Amino acid sequence: MMPVLPIRPLLRRALLGLAVTAMPLVFGGWSWLEGPQSTLQTAGPVAAEQAKVFYVTVWVTISIFVVVAGTLAYATLRFRARNAADEHVAPPEQSHGNPLIELSLIAASVLALVIIAVPTLRAIWYSYDVPEEEKANMYEVNATGYQWWFRFEYPKEQIDGSGTLVAANELVIPAHRPVRVNLRTTDVIHSFWVPKLAGKVDMIPNRGNHLWLNADQPGYYWGQCAEYCGESHAVMRFRVIALDEKDFAAWLTHQKQPGRTVAAAAMADERPKAQFASYKFTPVRRNAPGWTEQFDADPFGHWKQQQQPDPEEDPVLIAKGRQLFTQKTCAGCHTVRGQEGAGRIGPDLTHVGARTTIAGGLLENSPQNLHRWITDPNNVKPGNKMYYGTGGMQGYVKRNGETWEQNITVSDEEAHALVAYLRSLK
Amino acid sequence: MDALARSNFIGKEAQPDAARPWIFTRPTAKTGIVSWLTTVDHKRIGLLYGMSALFFFLVGGVEALMIRIQLAVPNNTFVSHAVYNELFTMHATTMIFLAVMPLSAAFFNYIMPLQIGARDVAFPRLNGFAYWVFLAGAIILNVGWFMRSGAPDIGWFGYAPLTSKAFSNQFASDVSTDLWIMGLQILGVSSIIGSLNFIVTIINLRAPGMTMMRMPVFTWMTLVTAFLIILSFPAITIALVELMMDRSFDTNFFEVSKGGLPILWQHLFWVFGHPEVYILILPAMGIISEILPTFSRKPLFGYPIVVFSGACIGFLGFGVWSHHMFTTGMGTVATAAFALMTMAIAVPTGVKIFNWIGTLWGGHLSMRTPMMFALGFVWMFMMGGFSGIMHSAAPADSQQQDSYFVVAHFHYVLIGGSVFALLAGIHYWFPLVFGRKVSELWGKLSFWVIFIGFNTTFFPMHFLGLNGMPRRTAVYDGNMGWNTPNFIATVGAFILAVGIGIYFAVMIYTYFKGEKAGRDPWDGRTLEWSLPNPPPEYNYAVIPTIHARDAYWYEKHHRDEIARENAEHAQAEASHGGIHMPSQSWFPLVTALGLLGGGLCFGCKDAINATMSGWGMTGHNFGILFAIGFGVMVFLGALLWALEAPGGYHVHAEEEKH
Amino acid sequence: MSSQAATLAIDHHHDATTSTGIPNKKLFMWAFLASDCMFFGALISTHLIYRLHPPPGSPSPRTIFSIELTSFSTFILLMSSLLMALAVNAIQRGDVRSTRRNLLGTIFFGLIFLGCQVYEFNHFVSEKGLTLSSSIFGSTFYTLTGTHGCHVAIGVLWLTLMYVRTFKPAEADSGAQPWLTSTFAHLVLFALAIVSWMYLVLALIHGVQETGLGLATLGHWAGEHVVVLGAGIVLAVALNVMGRVRGAVDFGQANAIDVEGAGLYWHFVDIVWIVIFTAVYLLEYL
């Protein structure tokens, strides 16, 4: 048999040390739950109900854990052999169990599960669809997932001559109103998840799913695709912006307008214009962050600001950008309503300048980031269709047998013009 | 391993039949490469399974480390999105199918026949075949790393329609998905064949007196797992067949434009996938139910209830698959039904924990390394179980599904559960298998490093998930509040890696230089400890007679009675010509090689055809033609296997002095 | 004529060497069939799910099926099970000659079933335009019935091997080498005979469909395929000669478990067909 090991006192000390260092870690953990996609700091009744069920499960399981783990720890410490001699004493009584204890423990576990089951069942029905009494007040939108971006459609908002209102990657909804989101996809499975507003529901081909949510307050909420959907799944993100009734109505009215043209009056403006707009592009490495702290400090404020035209805009550059938009075949896949382009393959760009993000919610909508996205799309979102082309449309590269060759190049100068144009689409 | 092989063979062999044609000449080598290639000995096959599984365990571990390096800091560029996707796909596939399952199979093979007092499994050659087929599947799954297509990158769950040619071959011809399909199908063949063998062995080859309710719990869990395998693998095999037909022969099972329903894949996959979870954990529970009583020095508390709850888990395991699909919009009634079923399955699982604690209660616990891992298992499995209960509440799950909370949960169940138990099992049975004992100091050190590393890695992931971090994402932004937990998790992963490193370094050292262990070093309770270590090729010189549940414990306390019985049996057996041993055979290997070639050719047919047309040969689907060629090899292998007949020879055990 | 064990009374339902008394091979087969049930369960479920959710433009199965032909082949498969049962019974009695006869009958009926399926598939593809890729119905139908067809084909192969195996001479009489050679010869003859006769039968059916049943058709058929016909006749004679081996064989009551295993498989495949016939064909006529 083994000699007694000197390791035990050492271990005890190590464990104690570990427990002490773990304390701030565990309690500091709560600050780990305050991110923009926190599932516990909720901002709507659906997410709140789901968090409530989660807390029920947490308290029930922690209670069981304390009892069971306490017993286990006690049994381990109480009955362990303390030294080598102890290991060689006569074996303990060879008992085989106690049916009464077993049955009562089974009954107790069933009881604990009932405590979880009741709120679970209630919440399943609650979170499935808008409650009947609120149906009259319900707003409805359609969300469609693509590799790797979201299209949002407002079926109630018809635009004369061009069908329903369509937006991309930023879903603007009325606050204080239940919103039913119909979830569709035409390629692979995606999942619509805005953690602060509601748990996720998948978008599955040939299947009509939906979820509902209700934003307690006007605000800016982060969302992300939660089902693996191919190469760039990690960067398939989106935002939900909730507005109060007045702002939402105003936003709708503005969205129904065709793409903004920089007026001739502005052309006549004699103010000196920045030669290549107001930024200088510096290339960044792959996966470089596309967000800024100033933005995160007040995202909702930034969103409002983004609705306003850029005071620095340069009509000449914008006009050149508009030309390039057709020349570089952007218009083949993208729509700028009222101007060039009727493509539905890519996101609708009619009001792209008024969005806070580009590239499927990945990058903040800044001139720098637009430039980066336009000049090097495959490093921002590998495998995307703007770069590789799809359905007969060729992208930045085209196929030549098993290899790819360059098809579209965007020079620095051209990028500046395109950025100016896209920025002008408020 | 040579030492093992040499020491095994006692007795002389029958002369080979001179009249047999060369093709049926049975290999008789007891050492060297041929002896391993042609082996039918369940212990050697168990070792082969174990070695392969540990190899792939390390491969999967390296993949995991690469994943953790990429996620250590936000916006990292250590690997590309594409490689990251290959890494998490292959990490899961490798760990589930090539590490944990075969490691369990290693124990089934080595330990189970010993526990029931058998000399081998019911179909020894089929057992060898199952192993070689497993190896073929493992090679096919991993061959993509060395090809232009790369490794599979569709997730281990391979949700349609991402697996269809329209998506996987969007930008380049890609055979990785085809290889994934072939690999999993072939692994399925191996698992089913192996399990059928175990079922027959357990039901039919028990020693006299070994009634079902006297079987060791590990053997019981082997039986339940084997039934789960034969009943659940067909679902994924058919799903894979349908996918293969879609990709290779243009059928429309999951073709969205023709009305295919991708949700059907999910149902078929999880009808397999959930029982698979229990396939991974039940053997672990069996091992724990062996170790705890041994080191508590008292019988398992409530044996019938532990056995019954294991069977109950296996049975209910078929009724909860849709809890993996709570976010697919199943509707309220289906969601509620599956939520309640999932809660129900927590009861038999909890019962096991109660019984393990009951086993400790009033015992004399020797805190040896296997016991440390076993207790670590109980703690970690409890944690994983509790987060599992949280998932059963479907509304809460709709926030946790596909987030890092789930990643934390199933790693607590699969590492804290399955892997801890398997590591405990390796320590526990090491003296029996290799005749040497691992140093307690180093064993315990490895336990604590693994334990700390594991918790440091996975506990923060609960917070990541609750804070909205989705899984399977190659990059994340630094403004989401995920930076610190991710960094801690990566540090933990390296601690875990160091722990695993210590564990295996100690094992290798012990194999060569470790302290020699005598017979029954742990004061064992089950039959395998009655054997000398390492056990002889024929296991039992005399088939034992079983009188009680903890058979060897009984034997140790009734020595005279057992000695008398054994003498009678030995005499009876000698009068039949001695111990009958099955002959070795080449054909399991040959047949499995046919499957390997066929699987590779069929999987790579696009690449093969492209290459052939590069050489100016077109007009035929060469990939499929080659696959058919290998199919003929499978047929001939199986035919000659049938014609060579089981064979066999007799040995006379010289009862060793002990 | 049969093995040395023939005189011993063997209890075919009990094997004293196993814990339960059930022979290992039998238990194995039952467990395998349980697994196989799940294979077919998954395939049939797929078919039925798509039947409940047919995509727009799905073909109507009633316009495709020819229920008379399928009913006939179903009946044939059922009868083959009867012959299989007789074969098992015969070998349990140690009657090798009767076993051979019944095995041949089972093989023959299995081949008729397969022939009908080949004919049906060919007819559906060329006449009705139903292919694997034409619709979901095509995909599920061909995959399901094709998988069953593969099972029947494997069964036929197995029974063929079993049939050839019954000629293995008793070890005492001759070495294994000549037997191995003759076994392969036997197998090759068998395979050639099957191919040629299946070819002839299909050609005849085709001829009858084209020009109607009559002496002229028959003559035309014989003339056109004279080489194959000759080969078929020669092969049939050769097989008959090989089947007349006298002398002791190493096949008898002791091998009953092998025949019974094949029998279990055969009956199972038959039962599965009943389910498929109901779920895929008859359901459309309700």
Side-chain angles (χ1 to χ4, degrees), chain A residues 2 11 32 35 37 39 54 79 81 87 89 94 96 102 193 195 200 202 206-207 228 237 287 296 402, chain B residues 75-77 148 153 171 260 297 302 327 329 355 365 368 398-401 448 466-468 477 479 525:
Chain A
M2 294 301 300
L11 274 177
W32 291 356
Q37 282 183 193
T39 61
F54 172 70
F79 297 108
E87 288 190 350
V89 298
Q94 302 290 298
H96 286 275
E102 309 251 5
W193 190 26
K200 63 191 74 65
D202 297 346
N206 285 344
R207 188 176 175 84
Y228 176 61
R237 305 180 192 163
N287 295 352
D296 277 8
E402 279 290 286
Chain B
N75 303 97
N76 203 357
T77 52
R148 234 180 66 178
D153 58 355
F171 310 125
R297 307 188 71 203
T327 62
N355 283 286
L365 316 187
R368 300 316 175 80
S398 72
Q399 291 280 22
Q400 295 153 2
Q401 160 86 0
W448 282 111
L466 294 174
N467 209 4
D477 272 337
N479 59 345
R525 312 183 69 83

Side-chain angles (χ1 to χ4, degrees), chain B residues 17 19 21-24 122-123 126 192-193 196-197 199-200 203-206 230-231 234-235 237-238 241-242 245 249-254 258-261 264 268 635-636 639-640 643, chain C residues 17-25 27-28 31-32 34-35 38-39 42-43 46 49-50 53 55 132-136 139-140 143 157 161 165 168 171 175-177 179-180 183-184 187:
Chain B
D17 186 352
W22 65 269
I23 198 156
F24 288 149
F123 302 97
L126 210 54
I192 290 177
I193 288 177
L196 291 172
N197 209 343
I199 289 174
V200 177
I203 294 181
N204 260 0
L205 261 55
R206 283 166 288 135
I230 65 163
L231 297 178
T237 306
I238 289 304
V241 165
E242 293 175 353
M245 297 287 286
F249 306 111
D250 297 323
T251 53
N252 305 311
F253 287 103
F254 308 113
K258 290 280 185 65
L261 300 173
L264 177 67
L268 287 173
F635 172 70
L636 288 179
L639 180 63
L640 292 172
L643 292 180
Chain C
T17 62
T18 67
S19 314
T20 52
I22 305 164
N24 286 344
K25 284 180 182 171
L27 193 60
F28 183 94
F32 166 73
S35 187
M38 299 298 285
F39 279 100
L43 275 170
T46 304
I49 285 165
Y50 279 123
H53 302 275
L132 273 173
S133 47
S134 67
S135 65
I136 292 249
S139 303
T140 61
T143 308
L157 191 64
L161 294 175
R165 171 73 180 73
K168 182 181 183 184
E171 206 81 48
Q177 189 90 55
W179 170 68
L180 201 61
T183 297
F184 275 102
L187 261 181

Side-chain angles (χ1 to χ4, degrees), chain A residues 205-260:
Chain A
N206 285 344
R207 188 176 175 84
N209 279 347
H210 66 266
L211 60 71
W212 76 282
L213 42 84
N214 187 346
D216 287 337
Q217 297 297 330
Y220 189 90
Y221 303 102
W222 268 257
Q224 185 160 0
C225 171
E227 181 63 80
Y228 176 61
C229 54
E231 189 171 1
S232 276
H233 160 63
V235 294
M236 181 175 174
R237 305 180 192 163
F238 67 103
R239 304 286 189 275
V240 173
I241 293 112
L243 302 176
D244 61 28
E245 206 180 331
K246 192 166 65 59
D247 288 349
F248 183 65
W251 180 83
L252 279 180
T253 317
H254 181 69
Q255 285 287 307
K256 289 183 191 172
Q257 302 295 322
R260 174 170 164 272

Side-chain angles (χ1 to χ4, degrees), chain C residues 73 90 199 259 280:
Chain C
S73 66
Y199 175 84
V259 184
V280 176

Side-chain angles (χ1 to χ4, degrees), chain B residues 258-259, chain C residues 50-51 53-61 63-64 130 134-138:
Chain B
K258 290 280 185 65
Chain C
Y50 279 123
R51 190 180 177 274
H53 302 275
S58 291
S60 158
T63 62
I64 293 173
L130 184 76
S134 67
S135 65
I136 292 249
F137 174 74

